[in-house]
Amino acid sequence: MSHSALAQNAAALPDDEAPSLIAPHGGVLKELYLPADQAAVLKQRSAGLPGIDLDTRQLCDLELLLNGAFSPLEGFLTQRDYDRVVTESRLADGTLWPIPITLDVSEASAERLVPGSEVALRDVQGVPIAVLEVEDIYRPDRVHEAQQVFGTTDRTHPGVAELLDRYRPVNLGGRVRGIQAPSHYDFSTLRDTPRGLRDWFTSQGWYRIVAFQTRNPMHRAHRELTLRAAQQVGAKLLVQPSVGRTKPGDVDHYTRVRCYQALLPQYPANSARLSLLPLAMRMGGPREALWHAIIRKNYGASHFIVGRDHAGPGNDANGKPFYGPFDAQHLLERHQDELGIRIVPFPAMVYVANRDAYLPSNEVQPDDEVRDISGTQLRRHLQEGSDIPAWFSFPEVVKILRERHPVQASRGFALFFTGLSGAGKSTIAQAVVAQLLERTSRAVTVLDGDEVRKHLSRGLGFSREDRNANVTRIGYVASEIVRHGGVAVCAPIAPYADARAEARSLVEAHGDFIEIHVATALDVCEARDRKGLYAQARAGAITHFTGISDPYEEPLQPELRIDGNAGDPLVLAGHIVSLLEQRGLLRG
């Protein structure tokens, strides 16, 4: 079935021809919070249980498990459910579920547990949110999971990079019992639970609701698309952006939500509702679109808009799209009968200048003059302060984006050098800093490996766990520097891929992360060793020495790999500065 035929089909099919497709205000919710008195008892008891501090993704997943958005799940997947979700997009009992919701932990955490154990699940402040009843402890094949769920093992895909480099090796599966909801201090009136939003729909007499998923600011094209989709099926509109975690480099959710609030008056009165979804996106394309539809059904929507390349992360390492433009629409159409929510496939809306109107892309004629502004072009307009055409966005939205991205503002970035001891990281870093300061007045902070060990990481040893903690601390400090528009130059050994990935994640929440692998041969590093560390390591006097008794995991896809064997540090530094200039990072 063609894309246009899909859209026409969705519009033409009356509800009474397929009543099983629409369950008013969703199906059965499985809310996992305990009653207040039982929650208070469990909270007190949780203080004596083994605990896990959840990261952002895990906390988002837990919140949506507890409030019923992930119904019918009752906890993190056991291996039996996990295996079938990975291979077939179904739970063990056959229920449609496309994305693995797993609780990944370190080997050290897993060693303390056995099936039947209870684990307190805490937020970053150590506040207990829930207790997990451990049913299963298993070690998944992450490469297999990436290939099956994302269709690729290419780390250019952000979901794959996180899965392969940042997920911990062991999964815990089992039911969760909720103690209290995670705290949110931003936009509290927009953070609806599925139950709360369903009740609001009922109070307003809304029974046909079409939901729209977004992770970007919305402009005139988005308004036209959503308005037409709602009118096409005779429904009210639910704009429900993901605000838990999206793609690295996306506009921060504070700015996006302000833009959505500014856009809402552009819809007819009593026709649209804004509600925030604390979802950690995986950017999983078709499977993610299926997941989004199930979640929106649980929030009470009867229809769900699926656009071009829904939840796609862009292009792979070869410059080709990870997913076809209509793959998500075709997958959801195949599962329409069992989803319980009607799919509204919709083409991209484009501005046709000669008609001064937005039209679906499949209605454009050969002689039409189509205009568009890409995300890169929009960022350039904001950086330069140049005019953004009125046909593209609303002045209220542009004003907010200009406030967030003032003219000529410098974007922070981190240079993260990694390589063996003696590879030349610090020397090349010093040369880069000198060349940066010759060209710019930007604030530059150097986080050298040895200096960090003396101050920030004093007391840490050289076990894998301590090394990772050291790199994570460097990543955190670098992220704060970058957040304030500064330049962080980091030069640790950083031997492990998972710790480097964690540092990247911290920095990319605020700016650019440039990983530079100083690829110097081990014998060259030994020959340069003025402190005699390699000799002591080979003699057994120093344990856990990278390259001798501990491994070094080479970066697979660094932004730059430089030959440190005999290269002139000034020349190598010049290559790095040229890369920064190409990326437009040396303004100011």
Side-chain angles (χ1 to χ4, degrees):
M1 185 179 291
S2 70
H3 166 259
S4 59
L6 278 173
Q8 292 165 5
N9 229 29
L13 183 65
D15 287 344
D16 58 6
E17 287 188 18
S20 62
L21 292 182
I22 297 181
H25 299 169
V28 176
L29 280 181
K30 292 194 174 182
E31 296 168 305
L32 306 178
Y33 288 108
L34 293 175
D37 56 341
Q38 296 178 34
V41 172
L42 186 59
K43 180 178 181 179
Q44 185 174 15
R45 192 162 64 80
S46 71
L49 297 176
I52 296 172
D53 292 341
L54 305 180
D55 62 23
T56 301
R57 168 181 50 82
Q58 294 170 332
L59 190 60
C60 288
D61 286 352
L62 179 59
E63 180 172 1
L64 295 179
L65 281 169
L66 295 175
N67 69 18
F70 283 175
S71 295
L73 301 190
E74 297 183 3
F76 293 99
L77 298 186
T78 62
Q79 184 166 13
R80 187 163 168 263
D81 282 320
Y82 165 85
D83 288 342
R84 194 165 180 196
V85 167
V86 167
T87 57
E88 301 178 49
S89 293
R90 294 186 182 278
L91 301 173
D93 66 4
T95 302
L96 191 65
W97 189 270
I99 297 293
I101 305 301
T102 57
L103 181 62
D104 54 300
V105 300
S106 66
E107 290 281 4
S109 294
E111 286 172 359
R112 299 178 296 165
L113 305 171
V114 295
S117 299
E118 291 183 313
V119 181
L121 304 180
R122 304 178 299 221
D123 68 11
V124 293
Q125 304 298 327
V127 176
I129 304 299
V131 167
L132 169 71
E133 300 171 348
V134 179
E135 181 180 340
D136 213 352
I137 303 172
Y138 59 103
R139 289 158 180 78
D141 182 342
R142 300 293 186 205
V143 174
H144 175 71
E145 180 180 341
Q147 188 63 57
Q148 293 293 117
V149 175
F150 298 108
T152 180
T153 56
D154 183 347
R155 283 176 167 82
T156 307
H157 190 301
V160 171
E162 180 181 35
L163 178 65
L164 298 184
D165 296 335
R166 295 195 282 280
Y167 274 50
R168 298 155 195 87
V170 184
N171 284 352
L172 303 181
R175 295 177 60 248
V176 292
R177 291 175 291 161
I179 295 172
Q180 58 191 317
S183 297
H184 296 288
Y185 303 107
D186 59 322
F187 305 112
S188 57
T189 60
L190 299 177
R191 291 184 175 272
D192 301 290
T193 64
R195 177 73 61 195
L197 194 56
R198 290 185 184 195
D199 289 346
W200 187 88
F201 289 150
T202 299
S203 72
Q204 301 297 308
W206 289 20
Y207 293 98
R208 295 170 63 87
I209 300 105
V210 59
F212 179 65
Q213 152 78 28
T214 182
R215 47 170 259 268
N216 293 308
M218 292 173 65
H219 302 289
R220 289 186 185 271
H222 303 97
R223 188 259 187 187
E224 288 295 321
L225 186 156
T226 52
L227 189 60
R228 286 178 180 235
Q231 291 171 343
Q232 177 175 287
V233 297
K236 304 291 187 177
L237 174 66
L238 171 63
V239 178
Q240 196 175 42
S242 295
V243 297
R245 194 198 54 190
T246 58
K247 183 180 176 182
D250 281 351
V251 176
D252 66 277
H253 84 270
Y254 296 99
T255 301
R256 289 192 290 114
V257 174
R258 292 176 61 212
C259 289
Y260 304 139
Q261 289 175 316
L263 179 72
L264 218 59
Q266 301 298 331
Y267 292 95
N270 192 38
S271 70
R273 167 73 186 254
L274 173 64
S275 183
L276 309 185
L277 180 67
L279 179 72
M281 292 184 65
R282 273 63 163 181
M283 304 305 299
R287 279 206 187 204
E288 178 129 351
L290 196 60
W291 189 40
H292 289 176
I294 294 169
I295 293 167
R296 274 24 183 255
K297 178 191 71 173
N298 287 329
Y299 271 92
S302 58
H303 297 69
F304 181 57
I305 298 170
V306 184
R308 181 185 178 92
D309 193 24
H310 188 107
N315 295 334
D316 63 18
N318 298 314
K320 297 181 180 179
F322 280 104
Y323 309 113
F326 306 119
D327 286 356
Q329 295 180 355
H330 295 320
L331 178 65
L332 269 69
E333 191 269 342
R334 289 201 302 272
H335 292 289
Q336 175 104 283
D337 288 347
E338 65 178 309
L339 266 176
I341 184 171
R342 182 77 60 80
I343 305 307
V344 185
F346 225 90
M349 299 294 295
V350 296
Y351 179 70
V352 180
N354 53 294
R355 303 198 219 180
D356 188 26
Y358 274 92
L359 296 175
S361 57
N362 56 5
E363 295 181 13
V364 174
Q365 301 301 314
D367 57 347
D368 280 333
E369 181 185 347
V370 175
R371 294 182 185 173
D372 189 21
I373 294 180
S374 68
T376 300
Q377 291 170 323
L378 177 59
R379 286 190 291 272
R380 187 178 302 121
H381 279 301
L382 294 170
Q383 290 168 353
E384 297 172 353
S386 51
D387 287 340
I388 296 173
W391 58 261
F392 176 76
S393 192
F394 297 95
E396 299 87 349
V397 173
V398 172
K399 178 176 181 292
I400 293 168
L401 292 175
R402 289 200 188 281
E403 289 173 355
R404 179 63 180 85
H405 302 280
V407 178
Q408 300 297 335
S410 299
R411 179 173 172 82
F413 63 90
L415 297 177
F416 192 94
F417 292 85
T418 175
L420 296 171
S421 176
K425 302 182 298 299
S426 295
T427 302
I428 299 168
Q430 290 171 6
V432 169
V433 170
Q435 292 191 26
L436 289 177
L437 295 178
E438 285 179 2
R439 290 167 167 77
T440 178
S441 59
R442 301 280 294 276
V444 179
T445 302
V446 179
L447 298 171
D448 183 74
D450 290 339
E451 290 300 310
V452 167
R453 281 280 180 178
K454 288 180 184 177
H455 304 291
L456 185 64
S457 294
R458 180 182 297 171
L460 288 180
F462 292 89
S463 66
R464 180 174 186 129
E465 185 176 16
D466 281 359
R467 285 180 181 274
N468 284 353
N470 177 56
V471 172
T472 299
R473 292 179 188 184
I474 291 172
Y476 172 73
V477 174
S479 74
E480 288 298 296
I481 293 167
V482 168
R483 183 164 71 93
H484 294 285
V487 177
V489 179
C490 316
I493 293 173
Y496 301 119
D498 55 351
R500 295 194 301 265
E502 177 68 16
R504 177 185 290 274
S505 177
L506 290 168
V507 170
E508 285 186 336
H510 307 294
D512 288 56
F513 184 92
I514 312 294
E515 185 177 32
I516 302 161
H517 177 210
V518 183
T520 307
L522 179 61
D523 60 339
V524 175
C525 294
E526 288 197 66
R528 292 175 179 172
D529 182 17
R530 293 174 294 179
K531 300 177 183 178
L533 299 177
Y534 278 97
Q536 294 179 61
R538 289 196 181 278
I542 299 178
T543 59
H544 299 297
F545 195 85
T546 302
I548 304 298
S549 52
D550 265 13
Y552 177 76
E553 299 171 2
E554 289 195 0
L556 297 178
Q557 293 179 322
E559 278 69 18
L560 192 63
R561 198 185 309 275
I562 57 179
D563 184 355
N565 289 296
D568 183 332
L570 282 175
V571 174
L572 298 176
H575 296 327
I576 296 167
V577 171
S578 294
L579 175 63
L580 298 177
E581 288 175 335
Q582 292 168 15
R583 292 192 170 209
L585 292 172
L586 296 187
R587 294 187 181 91

